[in-house]
Amino acid sequence: MAMISKLAVEKFRGINNLKVDNLNGVNLFVGDNNCGKTSVMETLQLFRTSELLGNIYSIAGQRESIFWMNSNSLYENFICMFPHDGSNLEIKISGVCNGKEMAYSIQGKEKQMLIDAKELDRFFVMENEDWLATDPKVEKFEGMISYKNGEIIKEQPIEINRLTGISGTPVSEADILKIIYVAPFEHLKGSVIGQIIKNDGYKAICLKALQLFDPEIEDMMIFRSDIGNRPVEYLKHKKLGNMPLSTFGDGIKKVLVLSNAIAKAAGGILLIDEIETAIHKKYYDDIFRFVVKACKTFDVQVFITTHSLEAIDGILATQDYEEQKTEDDISVVTLKRESSNTYSRVLSGREVAQNREDFGFEVRL
């Protein structure tokens, strides 16, 4: 299993000089709004590097992946990943995975470049780019990406400008580190069952997870629509018969997404951003117990963010600290942003659970 034990974020978005040690099999990141929880999830994905340019572009735009109609340009999303604290732009992170040192950095400068209006067909240009006719200059970034994972070292120059599009960026290499990310609203994208039913054993596990919501769900299938012959995802229900997945609530869709992500992350790392989204708190204990147990079964290290005290308690309840006298699979990381720096407090799940019980400990502060 891939196991990240330490993470240091020197520069990324609003995070400066963050150090997190003593990471565990289950890592729960908590804290106030805008303290950097989602940013930490993005820094971890930088270590994936299936292809340097393709990976960074994908991470830059994933916050807007659901709301693509109102999305910024690739360049704007990319530049927003840098702390703007000087003329040089820099992202710098490091860590330890399975005893190997990891490092990732992007360094460069923002400049301006001329664009000939006759050459605009070379770029992806939105309809509102008419200003180029009178002011044919755009911003561009020039720099270098550096990556290290143990003895694996890569470098690649990067040049991106305001008119650059993601289409055509090659993604040809296998992942060096398998990392799967689940966004808060991933369940709204659909197309999950098709990936699950390819493996009968895993399909059975996913059905058990669905039955935590509704014990009368019997099967999951894909049929062809009468309109357009497109594939439609269905659940087989004892009372309702075969029903399109779209007719069920978001909680069931979220569980399917989590189940599928655990399978895809087998032997690697799973990132779940705002795990409580779309799940009613009365299901927390059962669903979180399933997630933690499945991650252990599939040798997955999991990183979870949450705003919810009930979710924190639900995840801690997956451990039986009366029986587990020394064993503890959970680390709870509280993030706090103060002035220009971000700080972390790392406690074991056992410490947090005991303090929550004895003193009503507010772990998010």
Side-chain angles (χ1 to χ4, degrees), residues 316-331:
L316 293 173
T318 65
Q319 308 294 296
D320 186 351
Y321 289 119
E322 292 296 323
E323 292 292 327
Q324 301 167 208
K325 296 304 181 183
T326 57
E327 182 185 355
D328 193 347
D329 293 331
I330 298 178
S331 288

Side-chain angles (χ1 to χ4, degrees), residues 1 3 25 49 95 114 116 126 148 169 176 180 191 273 285 290 294 296 306 341:
M1 176 178 74
M3 184 77 169
T49 185
L114 288 172
D116 187 333
M126 300 297 287
K148 177 184 178 182
T169 304
I176 293 174
I180 304 299
S191 303
D273 206 355
D285 286 355
F290 163 77
K296 199 163 189 176
T306 182
N341 291 328

Side-chain angles (χ1 to χ4, degrees), residues 129-171:
E129 304 290 3
D130 295 338
W131 54 269
L132 281 172
T134 56
D135 187 17
K137 296 191 296 293
V138 296
E139 298 85 357
K140 74 170 181 177
F141 174 89
E142 287 183 358
M144 181 70 69
I145 304 176
S146 300
Y147 175 88
K148 177 184 178 182
N149 186 335
E151 297 181 355
I152 299 173
I153 298 175
K154 292 185 174 187
E155 285 192 341
Q156 181 173 345
I158 179 172
E159 181 175 320
I160 175 175
N161 65 71
R162 185 174 171 182
L163 301 180
T164 300
I166 195 169
S167 297
T169 304
V171 180

Side-chain angles (χ1 to χ4, degrees), residues 66-67 183-192 250 253-254 257 278:
I66 295 294
F67 309 105
F185 298 100
E186 195 84 22
H187 58 283
L188 299 180
K189 294 182 179 179
S191 303
V192 181
D250 285 345
K253 298 171 191 173
K254 179 67 175 275
V257 165

Side-chain angles (χ1 to χ4, degrees), residues 124-332:
F124 174 72
V125 182
M126 300 297 287
E127 293 180 0
N128 62 353
E129 304 290 3
D130 295 338
W131 54 269
L132 281 172
T134 56
D135 187 17
K137 296 191 296 293
V138 296
E139 298 85 357
K140 74 170 181 177
F141 174 89
E142 287 183 358
M144 181 70 69
I145 304 176
S146 300
Y147 175 88
K148 177 184 178 182
N149 186 335
E151 297 181 355
I152 299 173
I153 298 175
K154 292 185 174 187
E155 285 192 341
Q156 181 173 345
I158 179 172
E159 181 175 320
I160 175 175
N161 65 71
R162 185 174 171 182
L163 301 180
T164 300
I166 195 169
S167 297
T169 304
V171 180
S172 56
E173 300 178 19
D175 288 344
I176 293 174
L177 188 59
K178 185 192 294 185
I179 299 177
I180 304 299
Y181 172 71
V182 178
F185 298 100
E186 195 84 22
H187 58 283
L188 299 180
K189 294 182 179 179
S191 303
V192 181
I193 288 179
Q195 301 173 52
I196 293 173
I197 62 177
K198 295 176 182 178
N199 184 310
D200 288 342
Y202 193 66
K203 176 182 173 182
I205 294 174
C206 294
L207 280 171
K208 287 182 180 179
L210 290 179
Q211 287 162 357
L212 295 174
F213 275 90
D214 188 338
E216 296 190 324
I217 293 176
E218 295 182 305
D219 201 357
M220 57 184 75
M221 304 157 292
I222 293 181
F223 296 135
R224 290 287 176 181
S225 169
D226 294 335
I227 303 174
N229 201 33
R230 62 182 179 84
V232 180
E233 299 174 315
Y234 277 78
L235 294 180
K236 183 179 180 180
H237 193 277
K238 285 182 181 179
K239 291 182 178 178
L240 303 176
N242 297 335
M243 297 292 292
L245 178 60
S246 60
T247 64
F248 289 85
D250 285 345
I252 282 180
K253 298 171 191 173
K254 179 67 175 275
V255 169
L256 278 173
V257 165
L258 292 175
S259 302
N260 183 54
I262 293 168
K264 290 169 67 177
I269 294 165
L270 175 61
L271 314 176
I272 307 174
D273 206 355
E274 297 183 19
I275 191 171
E276 72 275 15
T277 303
I279 301 176
H280 193 281
K281 62 183 179 182
K282 72 179 180 180
Y283 296 113
Y284 282 177
D285 286 355
D286 288 336
I287 298 303
F288 296 161
R289 195 174 297 278
F290 163 77
V291 169
V292 170
K293 184 177 179 180
C295 283
K296 199 163 189 176
T297 300
F298 284 83
D299 290 326
V300 173
Q301 183 185 25
V302 59
F303 292 78
I304 297 168
T305 73
T306 182
H307 293 283
S308 166
L309 272 177
E310 291 90 348
I312 293 169
D313 290 339
I315 293 167
L316 293 173
T318 65
Q319 308 294 296
D320 186 351
Y321 289 119
E322 292 296 323
E323 292 292 327
Q324 301 167 208
K325 296 304 181 183
T326 57
E327 182 185 355
D328 193 347
D329 293 331
I330 298 178
S331 288
V332 181

Side-chain angles (χ1 to χ4, degrees), residues 85-101:
D85 52 6
S87 59
N88 291 329
L89 298 178
E90 184 177 19
I91 290 170
K92 192 172 183 180
I93 63 173
S94 60
V96 176
C97 181
N98 294 342
K100 297 179 181 178
E101 291 187 0

